[in-house]
Amino acid sequence: MKAKIVITPKKAVLDPQGKTVQNALEHMGYSGVTGVHVGKYLEIDLAPGTDPAAARVALDEAAHRFLSNPVIEDYRLEITD
Amino acid sequence: MKAKIVITPKKAVLDPQGKTVQNALEHMGYSGVTGVHVGKYLEIDLAPGTDPAAARVALDEAAHRFLSNPVIEDYRLEITD
């Protein structure tokens, strides 16, 4: 079982890394890009037999407490088999 | 229209950031975590009316050429509405 956490900067927060990638894409000739957001991706392997509901609660807390910065970042948690 | 690119270290490559997160999770009392992989996440906004097939080809090339390091990283590209 796996958990996937995607952490992205909030829309209202400046994203200089995304802006840089957007500029680079334009300079390299890739047109039609109107915005880029750069975030973090965490893939967590869980021991077989872990209760998905309990894992969701624990990882949601972990993501909120120390994997993301809730002031400037949003996160999305997904548990898959 | 949006493109999502997830860049992860190849399984055979050392992932010290992932190992650190795994240790941190264990020390914070979250058990049952058998592995953590940390990667990058890019969300690319595309101009409305962009041809999805052409965007996929262009972004696949961009991901391979300069958004990821194909020697040590894998990437996954997804185009959504």
Side-chain angles (χ1 to χ4, degrees):
Chain A
M1 201 162 60
K2 275 184 184 182
K4 294 172 183 177
I5 302 176
V6 170
I7 301 169
T8 46
K10 280 185 199 282
K11 296 294 173 202
V13 172
L14 276 180
D15 182 0
Q17 205 182 347
K19 194 71 198 158
T20 305
V21 172
Q22 185 182 348
N23 288 342
L25 282 168
E26 277 164 20
H27 285 133
M28 306 284 281
Y30 302 97
S31 56
V33 173
T34 56
V36 178
H37 310 278
V38 177
K40 269 176 292 186
Y41 175 80
L42 282 97
E43 203 170 271
I44 299 173
D45 299 328
L46 298 168
T50 308
D51 175 36
R56 177 175 290 278
V57 171
L59 288 174
D60 196 69
E61 193 193 284
H64 187 79
R65 277 178 63 201
F66 72 105
L67 296 177
S68 77
N69 177 351
V71 178
I72 55 166
E73 291 171 330
D74 287 323
Y75 66 88
R76 211 164 59 236
L77 170 66
E78 199 182 304
I79 310 256
T80 58
D81 283 328
Chain B
M1 202 161 62
K2 276 184 184 181
K4 294 172 183 177
I5 302 176
V6 170
I7 302 169
T8 45
K10 281 186 199 281
K11 298 292 174 203
V13 173
L14 275 180
D15 181 0
Q17 205 183 348
K19 195 70 198 158
T20 305
V21 172
Q22 185 183 348
N23 288 343
L25 282 168
E26 276 164 20
H27 284 134
M28 306 284 280
Y30 302 98
S31 57
V33 173
T34 56
V36 178
H37 310 277
V38 177
K40 269 176 292 185
Y41 175 79
L42 282 96
E43 203 171 270
I44 299 173
D45 299 328
L46 298 168
T50 308
D51 175 37
R56 177 174 291 278
V57 172
L59 288 173
D60 197 69
E61 194 194 284
H64 188 80
R65 279 179 61 202
F66 72 105
L67 296 176
S68 77
N69 177 351
V71 178
I72 55 165
E73 291 170 331
D74 287 323
Y75 66 88
R76 210 163 60 235
L77 170 65
E78 200 183 304
I79 310 256
T80 58
D81 283 327

